[in-house]
Amino acid sequence: MKLKLHVWRQKSPKAQGKMTSYDVKQASPDMSFLEMLDVLNEDLAQKGEDPIAFDHDCREGICGSCSMVINGQPHGPEQGTTACQLHMRKFKDGDDIFIEPWRAKAFPVLKDLIVDRGAFDRIIQAGGFVSVNTGGAQDANCIPIPKHNADLAMDAAACIGCGACVAACKNSSAMLFVSAKVSHLALLPQGQPEKTRRVLNMVNQMDKEGFGNCTNQYECEAACPKEISANFIAKMNREYLGASFFSQEE
Amino acid sequence: MSWFKRTLNSSIGGKLIVAVTGLGLVGFIIAHLSGNLLIFVGREALAEYAEGLRKFPAILWALRIGLVGMAVAHIGFTIKLNLANKAARPVGYAKKTYRRATLASRTMVLSGLTLLAYIVYHLLHFTWRTTDAEIAALGPYEVYDMLIIGFSSPAISAFYIIATVLLGMHLSHGISSVFQTLGINNPKYNKLFRCLGPALGTVLALGFITIPVAVMTGFVTR
């Protein structure tokens, strides 16, 4: 199949970027989206041009590295799928495809389609963990966890931190990501001791990083490759307001 | 009180203020519509209601101040959050596809600003009575005649109807959002919460629209 790509090219963080068009003459419907870009990059390299820089790692949909907005949708048009697991059969011969980086002040573009997602790491550092300071792990069966809570915690923990929620949100809000991380630990007994401080610190860091505010449109939920529910955002709001008004944390 | 300031300055705290004040304003709108619908009971009922409202000036003024306070906080915090949202995406997309966002949710600022302009006009028109000499000449409790004179102009009626439709849209997203923002969420009720906004928004908008329509069609006459 033949395709016309419109790709964001930007040499460096400070450089002025622009959309550049490329013709892909031979793409197979069986290729993944990233393989199609690999083929284009081979072409560019042979012509002595700079290949398109994009993030990728596992290429099996679990690492959260691949980050590109394809035709206005993070990870492309397929529901619950990362860009690396998206296949060219989802497109038609002769299609125009727009490929852009995640757009957020908190995710500055490093080069072409690669953005710096360090803001997510700093949010996790602010509280997305449980402290186990000493001693061996106790027997798992000593801590009863209701099946329902374990399932919900696992649903939240499915977040791979790719940032598609931020890219999809018109406000570049990170609330789906943060809520998944807050909820995952708040649902489990191990997360209880640091529960209030965790949500306060993580939301505080999220605001400090310059992410926007949720306006309840749920575009994040629709774009999430792991289909994390926006119900977790309500849970985070509840945890945060509860921690602010009813806990002893300053 | 540092925790209080920190909460109000946070994203979720700001959203809390917008949600709670929005809910208060919805309460006012329900009460306002209930009073207005007395037009269908008759001239005396409406006049009695208008007179009743002013019987206890202290309560009336407390409600008025509360209402203005809620409106100012609702708008003020929305502006603050919106500016932060704009700043959070300095470079936009060349192509953007929406998957789930409703029309109502995408036009909240537009509907909100139009409502603000409408409310100013509405107060000049029916509360301070500065836009129409015929209305200005009426006695304070001749609300029935005021409505008939006011809505005899098709242009004014059309403006009221458009503003009311926008109010319905604003509420359809706003009311459902309140539950999400306050974290009131349970799989048993989530469907109800998501439907409550569009349902209440539609009912309130239709309720208000009946009044200019009744006057224009001659259903309510002097």
Side-chain angles (χ1 to χ4, degrees), chain A residues 8 19 69-80 96 98 100-106 148 166-173 175 200 203-204 206-207 210-219 221-224 229-238 240-241 243-245 249-250, chain B residues 1-17 19-20 77-109 173-187 190 194:
Chain A
W8 181 262
M19 298 297 286
V69 174
I70 301 166
N71 281 343
Q73 302 183 56
H75 294 299
E78 199 172 2
Q79 181 74 34
D96 274 51
F98 287 76
E100 297 172 77
W102 288 173
R103 292 292 189 198
K105 185 171 147 252
H148 179 69
V166 175
C169 176
K170 77 176 171 72
N171 311 318
S172 297
S173 167
M175 286 203 182
L200 293 176
V203 169
N204 185 34
M206 170 182 84
D207 291 346
F211 291 105
N213 309 293
C214 173
T215 45
N216 307 328
Q217 295 189 310
Y218 312 128
E219 283 291 319
E221 183 184 86
C224 177
S229 165
N231 288 340
F232 288 122
I233 299 181
K235 179 166 176 60
M236 173 179 70
N237 293 342
R238 189 163 67 236
Y240 182 81
L241 294 172
S244 292
F245 288 99
E249 294 287 346
E250 274 301 309
Chain B
M1 287 301 265
S2 67
W3 66 271
F4 189 68
K5 241 167 93 179
R6 192 245 318 131
T7 307
L8 286 194
N9 279 327
S10 72
S11 49
I12 296 176
K15 282 162 58 60
L16 170 76
I17 300 293
V20 170
F77 273 88
T78 306
I79 291 173
K80 177 175 172 268
L81 293 173
N82 241 285
L83 290 177
N85 292 346
K86 293 275 178 294
R89 176 157 296 156
V91 183
Y93 291 107
K95 183 171 178 165
K96 177 83 188 109
T97 310
Y98 286 95
R99 277 174 167 169
R100 195 157 307 170
T102 56
L103 180 69
S105 76
R106 292 176 56 192
T107 50
M108 286 302 273
V109 172
H173 180 67
I175 292 172
S176 290
S177 289
V178 167
F179 298 101
Q180 174 81 0
T181 299
L182 298 183
I184 303 169
N185 146 296
N186 184 321
N190 283 348
R194 289 202 182 180

Side-chain angles (χ1 to χ4, degrees), chain A residues 148-225:
Chain A
H148 179 69
N149 284 10
D151 287 350
L152 266 181
M154 190 59 228
D155 287 348
C159 169
I160 53 178
C162 66
C165 44
V166 175
C169 176
K170 77 176 171 72
N171 311 318
S172 297
S173 167
M175 286 203 182
L176 190 64
F177 167 75
V178 180
S179 73
K181 299 304 177 192
V182 164
S183 303
H184 150 215
L185 296 172
L187 281 160
L188 297 173
Q190 293 89 340
Q192 298 312 306
E194 290 156 305
K195 188 171 137 154
T196 48
R197 199 174 312 156
R198 173 182 307 115
V199 69
L200 293 176
N201 288 347
M202 289 180 82
V203 169
N204 185 34
Q205 188 65 33
M206 170 182 84
D207 291 346
K208 228 193 270 174
E209 295 289 348
F211 291 105
N213 309 293
C214 173
T215 45
N216 307 328
Q217 295 189 310
Y218 312 128
E219 283 291 319
C220 51
E221 183 184 86
C224 177

Side-chain angles (χ1 to χ4, degrees), chain B residues 45-213:
Chain B
L46 203 54
E48 219 171 279
Y49 164 70
E51 215 175 332
L53 278 183
R54 286 167 196 248
K55 240 182 204 151
F56 304 100
I59 296 177
L60 180 69
W61 276 102
L63 288 174
R64 278 178 173 167
I65 291 167
L67 197 59
V68 171
M70 283 194 293
V72 168
H74 189 74
I75 297 166
F77 273 88
T78 306
I79 291 173
K80 177 175 172 268
L81 293 173
N82 241 285
L83 290 177
N85 292 346
K86 293 275 178 294
R89 176 157 296 156
V91 183
Y93 291 107
K95 183 171 178 165
K96 177 83 188 109
T97 310
Y98 286 95
R99 277 174 167 169
R100 195 157 307 170
T102 56
L103 180 69
S105 76
R106 292 176 56 192
T107 50
M108 286 302 273
V109 172
L110 180 79
S111 58
L113 289 176
T114 314
L115 281 174
L116 184 62
Y118 160 76
I119 289 166
V120 171
Y121 175 75
H122 183 49
L123 288 172
L124 289 170
H125 190 203
F126 283 157
T127 304
W128 297 314
R129 302 182 178 185
T130 55
T131 59
D132 189 326
E134 217 180 328
I135 291 176
L138 290 172
Y141 303 127
E142 290 182 89
V143 182
Y144 192 85
D145 294 304
M146 180 182 79
L147 290 174
I148 290 173
I149 296 167
F151 291 133
S152 58
S153 150
I156 290 175
S157 291
F159 180 47
Y160 270 80
I161 290 170
I162 291 168
T164 310
V165 169
L166 289 173
L167 172 73
M169 284 172 64
H170 199 78
L171 296 187
S172 81
H173 180 67
I175 292 172
S176 290
S177 289
V178 167
F179 298 101
Q180 174 81 0
T181 299
L182 298 183
I184 303 169
N185 146 296
N186 184 321
K188 285 189 276 189
Y189 311 118
N190 283 348
K191 220 180 219 160
L192 174 76
F193 294 155
R194 289 202 182 180
C195 296
L196 193 64
L200 206 54
T202 309
V203 168
L204 289 173
L206 286 177
F208 280 113
I209 287 173
T210 54
I211 297 166
V213 168

Side-chain angles (χ1 to χ4, degrees), chain A residues 5 7-8 33-38 41 52-56 59 64-77 81-84 86 97-103 112-115 117 162-164 167-168 223, chain B residues 93:
Chain A
L5 303 188
V7 187
W8 181 262
F33 199 84
L34 301 191
E35 283 166 343
M36 182 275 294
L37 287 178
D38 291 338
N41 275 346
I52 298 163
F54 60 90
D55 256 335
H56 61 103
R59 296 210 178 195
S65 291
C66 51
S67 51
M68 49 188 79
V69 174
I70 301 166
N71 281 343
Q73 302 183 56
H75 294 299
T81 307
T82 52
C84 63
L86 173 70
I97 303 177
F98 287 76
I99 311 173
E100 297 172 77
W102 288 173
R103 292 292 189 198
D112 298 340
L113 303 175
I114 298 178
V115 298
R117 282 173 285 188
C162 66
Chain B
Y93 291 107

